[in-house]
Amino acid sequence: MSEIKTNKLTGVTTAKTVTVTVGASVTQTLEAGLIKAYSEQDNDSVAPLNKSLNHSSVTDQDAGNKIHNFTSAFSDIVYLGLVGCCGNRGSTTGSVRGVMPDAAYTTTAAEMRYAYASSNAEDDSQAGMAVLGDLA
């Protein structure tokens, strides 16, 4: 099996466009399939972030309502924010939760809502988010 080792991939036509085959004959740009921001934090205190990419901070708005501030801006507000929570770290007793539909996005921040399956807003001891979209 062949192996390619490199520190940098650059597209020939456009520097950030590297095309990959993702199906029998379907292609997409490598950039399109990458997560552009993520974080994992304790929503009870939101700081510090336990793990993060492209995050400058998380601002606590209210129970279950957090503003994720990005280090690098997105090109527009057409991006997808995904939320996940899993109860206490190491616990299997957490409820299924997710983003509420009225959350607001800007190019530099995303408002994420964390809630129980019953839609009751709730801080959680282990919460995470990921964002897919185009960086500016």
Side-chain angles (χ1 to χ4, degrees), residues 8 26 38 56 75-76 89 99 102 108 114:
K8 183 177 180 182
V26 177
Y38 70 80
S56 58
S75 60
D76 53 39
R89 278 185 177 71
V99 67
D102 60 344
T108 57
Y114 300 84

Side-chain angles (χ1 to χ4, degrees), residues 16-18 20 28-36 133-135:
K16 71 175 193 171
T17 304
V18 175
V20 295
Q28 75 175 39
T29 62
L30 180 62
E31 177 194 13
L34 300 175
I35 289 177
K36 306 308 187 310
D134 295 328
L135 292 177

Side-chain angles (χ1 to χ4, degrees), residues 96-108:
V96 176
R97 303 169 184 153
V99 67
M100 293 174 134
D102 60 344
Y105 293 167
T106 70
T107 58
T108 57

Side-chain angles (χ1 to χ4, degrees), residues 19 25 38 44 66 74 84 89 115 125-126:
T19 303
S25 61
Y38 70 80
D44 291 328
K66 310 300 180 229
F74 284 80
R89 278 185 177 71
S125 62
Q126 187 177 11

Side-chain angles (χ1 to χ4, degrees), residues 38-58 68 84 86-90 114 124-129:
Y38 70 80
S39 75
E40 191 279 330
Q41 75 279 339
D42 180 340
N43 265 353
D44 291 328
S45 61
V46 302
L49 294 170
N50 297 320
K51 300 263 184 192
S52 68
L53 170 71
N54 192 20
H55 267 72
S56 58
S57 64
V58 175
H68 292 262
C86 28
N88 296 326
R89 278 185 177 71
Y114 300 84
D124 200 329
S125 62
Q126 187 177 11
M129 60 86 70

